[in-house]
Amino acid sequence: MIPEELRLTPAAKDGLFDLLSRAVLGCLLLFALFPIYWMVLTSFRTRTEITAADPQLLPFALEEIPAIVRDPALLLEILHYENYITMWGRFPVLDYFINSLIIATTTTAFALVVGCLGGYAFSKYGFPGKGAVGGALLATQMIPGILILLPMYLLFLWVQTTLEIPMIDTYHGIIFVYTTFTVPVAIWMLRGFFDTIPDSVEEAARVDGCSRLQALVRVILPMAAPGIAATGMFVFLVAFNEVLFASILASGDVTPFAIGIQSFETQTTAYWGEMMAASTVATAPILLLFVIFQKPIVEGLTEGSVKQ
Amino acid sequence: MPHTTKQFRERLADVQLGDALPFYSRLSEEQRFAYKLLAPALAMMCLIHLLPIVWGTLISFMGVDSSYVQEWYRAPFVGVENYSYVLDPRTVVGGRFWFAIRQTVIFAVGSLVVTYVLGLTAALILNQKFTGRFVARTLLLLPWVAPVVVTLLIWRMMFQQQSGIINHVLLSIGLINEPIYWLIGDNTIWTLVLTHSWTQFPLVMIMLYAGLQGIPDQLYEAASIDGAGRWEKFRYITFPQLKPVSAVVVLLVMLWTMINFTAPFVLLGAQPPQAGQVGILYIYEFAFSNYQFGRGAAMSVVLFLIAMTMAMIYYKYLFDDDFAEGDR
């Protein structure tokens, strides 16, 4: 046993424990943030710096810091912003971005409309088959996408040849697929947000002469706006990141960013600098939006799983 | 008189539907409204989820290959031949498919362990009171919020054998003697597990964190009076109280990892090594490289059944466990 004089007092134990948990937190933060830091740093480096035999972990040597503080213009010489200029010419990044924006925002708009209606029905009304429909909504999240993609590809081919409506490599084709994929999640998240609005709100609106639909559109939806924004951002991200369906159903002129960015690494050369510059451009607004909307997003995601 | 016209139209629609479906006429006005709200969602799901699944199962029994891609319906029914072909470990395809299934299980179980350990550690730390807690939580969520395609490519860059920073750091602190191939050969599956866990642990963290917040303080106070230390409190209060949330986390991470396509597809690049070809990636490569849709569909059904079976066994196990312990 440990001799009495070497035992830690409760206060010292607490202090040690706090220290330990701060250290673990530090390690976790380093693990979580280093790749993001590395993306930004790489985007500001030249080809030689990126492929150097001894890559530097910092953008500049520590001895240079006083000089940089005195003359911030030095940073422009140290950080090479060329990648942010050359990437647009070397790859059709702008097209990728525009395609992704068109696909993801339209998907978000459709999914929110369908999801708000469905989520409200789930939150406020009881109806026969509610349990079964809810179960089916969740079950859609567990189907391997490939099981749907194979027949979907055949269906799109058939529609193209028989009905002569172009489907493969079109905006409407991929948007249609994405909307359906995201609707179950949207319903599930929005249901949680509608649950927080008391039933009396609809009743009051109806006493004032609104129909049920008017009550939903004019009174309930504005109240649920933060939740709708959070759901919208989630749907947007899902659509933005999807690659399985996009790689088969959205190439050519409608290639989205998630597929296009991979072409920065060719058989012979990897344009890491440009790739990371484009990645930084894509990531920055998303992280910014998250920091602004994080409260409803985090609540919406944890709601269903924890309350169950 | 737009208002009365509208009311009239609504009534007419109700009457017609009521005549066609006796079921519908028995519903209250509220229930009808609920169905109307749900109608678009249900219609889309039937079209994109239900129909393709039935259809996919159907073509898994048909000889749909490159010659029948345009007219799949002319392909002959071959019974279970596709299944016996892809499940026969003696054929090249069958052997590789079983290998892919094995890799899928490693991928799912490995990711589950890593994300759960990381997520629980982070959640426990965030559940303490300290300054900067909110900032720490926000920062720890970023790996999950950043576009996953981007973060997977960052890891791909960092795992490069020659120029990658990971090999460089490991070499310079002396953990390894020569650069390791992370994205080729036997290491690939572990690289995949680590990277996927990095993208997913914040979700596990935030779910467990919400669970921790729901544990009543009285439990801890009572335990303190009884003289319980930190470990006892964790072992006998925190962990058992987290069980319902943990159950959901385990189920979701397992299922979502087994059907995850993005992580292997982006991380392993245009020519994924065989060791990294988990089930869904192998099916994709196989089905689309030579239009073997019938056999690809058969494999997809098998993958779906394996994922579902694992989920059900797990659920049954949970249920029995609860029963034995006599929790409520």
Side-chain angles (χ1 to χ4, degrees):
Chain A
M1 279 274 117
I2 310 166
E4 189 65 39
E5 59 271 21
L6 286 182
R7 276 196 204 150
L8 292 167
T9 61
K13 255 188 178 172
D14 283 351
L16 202 66
F17 183 79
D18 279 355
L19 201 69
L20 192 72
S21 59
R22 280 319 91 72
V24 175
L25 180 64
C27 293
L28 278 172
L29 282 171
L30 185 70
F31 175 65
L33 298 179
F34 182 78
I36 297 170
Y37 162 76
W38 200 243
M39 163 184 81
V40 179
L41 187 61
T42 307
S43 76
F44 284 109
R45 283 186 160 166
T46 62
R47 201 160 183 73
T48 358
E49 285 172 317
I50 292 167
T51 54
D54 58 331
Q56 299 299 308
L57 286 171
L58 295 171
F60 34 73
L62 290 174
E63 303 88 71
E64 288 178 283
I65 291 177
I68 294 169
V69 174
R70 260 178 277 126
D71 182 13
L74 264 181
L75 268 181
L76 287 180
E77 283 172 35
I78 296 166
L79 298 176
H80 298 270
Y81 50 85
E82 286 87 347
N83 291 324
Y84 286 88
I85 296 163
T86 53
M87 67 174 185
W88 308 102
R90 188 162 278 147
F91 303 96
V93 194
L94 190 62
D95 292 345
Y96 298 155
F97 274 125
I98 292 173
N99 289 335
S100 270
L101 276 181
I102 292 174
I103 294 170
T105 42
T106 321
T107 301
T108 309
F110 284 143
L112 283 182
V113 171
V114 180
C116 278
L117 299 178
Y120 190 68
F122 257 95
S123 171
K124 296 294 174 215
Y125 303 115
F127 49 89
K130 188 172 177 179
V133 176
L137 287 179
L138 280 187
T140 57
Q141 301 306 300
M142 311 192 168
I143 303 160
I146 189 89
L147 183 57
I148 294 173
L149 175 59
L150 295 176
M152 189 63 68
Y153 183 77
L154 295 177
L155 175 73
F156 275 22
L157 266 186
W158 180 80
V159 170
Q160 281 195 166
T161 47
T162 313
L163 308 179
E164 294 181 349
I165 307 169
M167 292 301 285
I168 295 170
D169 300 344
T170 62
Y171 289 126
H172 60 260
I174 197 76
I175 288 169
F176 181 63
V177 174
Y178 283 1
T179 305
T180 318
F181 272 98
T182 47
V183 158
V185 195
I187 290 183
W188 211 249
M189 281 180 77
L190 286 164
R191 184 186 93 134
F193 292 116
F194 287 132
D195 279 347
T196 61
I197 297 175
D199 293 352
S200 52
V201 174
E202 190 200 307
E203 284 154 25
R206 295 203 63 203
V207 170
D208 290 346
C210 287
S211 73
R212 283 185 191 277
L213 193 64
Q214 282 169 335
L216 171 61
V217 173
R218 293 193 190 154
V219 184
I220 310 275
L221 289 188
M223 286 177 73
I228 296 173
T231 311
M233 185 169 163
F234 185 77
V235 171
F236 184 93
L237 276 180
V238 170
F240 187 86
N241 282 310
E242 210 286 329
V243 288
L244 174 60
F245 285 80
S247 68
I248 300 291
L249 301 178
S251 28
D253 287 343
V254 300
T255 306
F257 177 80
I259 297 296
I261 185 79
Q262 294 178 61
S263 63
F264 283 46
E265 192 190 358
T266 65
Q267 292 273 12
T268 49
T269 331
Y271 296 91
W272 296 120
E274 276 102 339
M275 187 198 270
M276 290 304 126
S279 298
T280 308
V281 171
T283 310
I286 290 172
L287 293 191
L288 195 71
L289 277 176
F290 170 72
V291 172
I292 297 169
F293 286 116
Q294 65 164 316
K295 197 168 169 283
I297 294 177
V298 170
E299 277 167 10
L301 280 169
T302 47
E303 196 94 359
S305 56
V306 178
K307 274 202 180 152
Q308 263 278 10
Chain B
M1 299 226 171
H3 204 71
T4 32
T5 322
K6 200 172 149 218
Q7 278 177 345
F8 174 73
R9 257 195 290 129
E10 269 172 13
R11 208 165 297 146
L12 188 70
D14 283 351
V15 168
Q16 284 170 342
L17 267 173
D19 288 343
L21 304 161
F23 162 76
Y24 191 81
S25 62
R26 285 201 300 272
L27 296 176
S28 71
E29 183 259 339
E30 189 179 284
Q31 289 171 331
R32 288 182 195 184
F33 183 64
Y35 277 123
K36 281 179 201 157
L37 289 179
L38 267 175
L42 289 179
M44 293 180 86
M45 279 171 56
C46 284
L47 206 58
I48 294 238
H49 286 113
L50 197 62
L51 183 75
I53 287 167
V54 174
W55 191 351
T57 314
L58 190 69
I59 59 174
S60 75
F61 293 104
M62 295 169 74
V64 183
D65 56 21
S66 50
S67 44
Y68 289 108
V69 166
Q70 293 285 347
E71 294 172 304
W72 63 275
Y73 41 86
R74 290 190 198 281
F77 265 92
V78 294
V80 293
E81 201 205 279
N82 287 330
Y83 287 92
S84 53
Y85 181 81
V86 299
L87 290 175
D88 184 355
R90 284 163 302 180
T91 62
V92 178
V93 174
R96 289 203 52 191
F97 181 56
W98 278 113
F99 181 74
I101 292 291
R102 200 195 77 151
Q103 299 301 83
T104 311
V105 175
I106 298 178
F107 180 39
V109 177
S111 302
L112 174 65
V113 172
V114 179
T115 48
Y116 192 81
V117 170
L118 286 175
L120 183 61
T121 312
L124 286 171
I125 293 176
L126 289 183
N127 201 37
Q128 299 165 12
K129 288 182 175 56
F130 59 91
T131 37
R133 180 163 84 145
F134 185 73
V135 176
R137 194 190 84 172
T138 309
L139 291 176
L140 284 175
L141 278 170
L142 294 188
W144 181 76
V145 182
V148 65
V149 179
V150 164
T151 54
L152 289 167
L153 286 170
I154 302 173
W155 281 97
R156 180 169 171 76
M157 172 179 76
M158 298 199 304
F159 272 125
Q160 292 295 308
Q161 193 253 350
Q162 286 293 328
S163 58
I165 188 69
I166 289 174
N167 268 345
H168 178 73
V169 168
L170 291 180
L171 277 173
S172 56
I173 59 175
L175 273 178
I176 54 173
N177 293 320
E178 53 190 60
I180 290 183
Y181 285 99
W182 294 101
L183 297 168
I184 254 181
D186 293 340
N187 291 330
T188 315
I189 192 74
W190 301 110
T191 311
L192 189 57
V193 166
L194 180 72
T195 310
H196 183 62
S197 301
W198 183 86
T199 63
Q200 298 301 308
F201 90 88
L203 184 64
V204 175
M205 173 191 86
I206 206 70
M207 283 167 77
L208 292 175
Y209 173 71
L212 286 174
Q213 305 252 296
I215 302 178
D217 285 339
Q218 294 98 304
L219 288 179
Y220 291 107
E221 285 158 18
S224 295
I225 294 168
D226 290 346
R230 276 202 182 79
W231 169 249
E232 282 87 14
K233 281 185 196 163
F234 175 76
R235 171 71 185 77
Y236 296 106
I237 298 174
T238 314
F239 203 66
Q241 287 283 321
L242 272 184
K243 209 172 156 191
V245 187
S246 296
V248 176
V249 168
V250 170
L251 186 68
L252 288 184
V253 173
M254 280 280 273
L255 277 175
W256 281 346
T257 311
M258 287 192 87
I259 61 172
N260 185 290
F261 177 78
T262 313
F265 181 72
V266 179
L267 183 73
L268 303 178
Q271 277 118 22
Q274 203 186 323
Q277 287 194 3
V278 290
I280 194 164
L281 187 64
Y282 176 63
I283 299 172
Y284 175 89
E285 300 267 325
F286 174 81
F288 284 101
S289 60
N290 39 15
Y291 292 100
Q292 294 277 4
F293 278 32
R295 286 171 179 166
M299 289 188 204
S300 313
V301 172
V302 173
L303 182 68
F304 177 56
L305 290 178
I306 291 176
M308 275 293 142
T309 314
M310 283 181 76
M312 276 159 72
I313 291 174
Y314 168 78
Y315 238 89
K316 187 157 163 25
Y317 158 79
L318 251 195
F319 178 76
D320 288 350
D321 209 32
D322 274 350
F323 210 67
E325 278 180 26
D327 292 358
R328 79 201 62 165

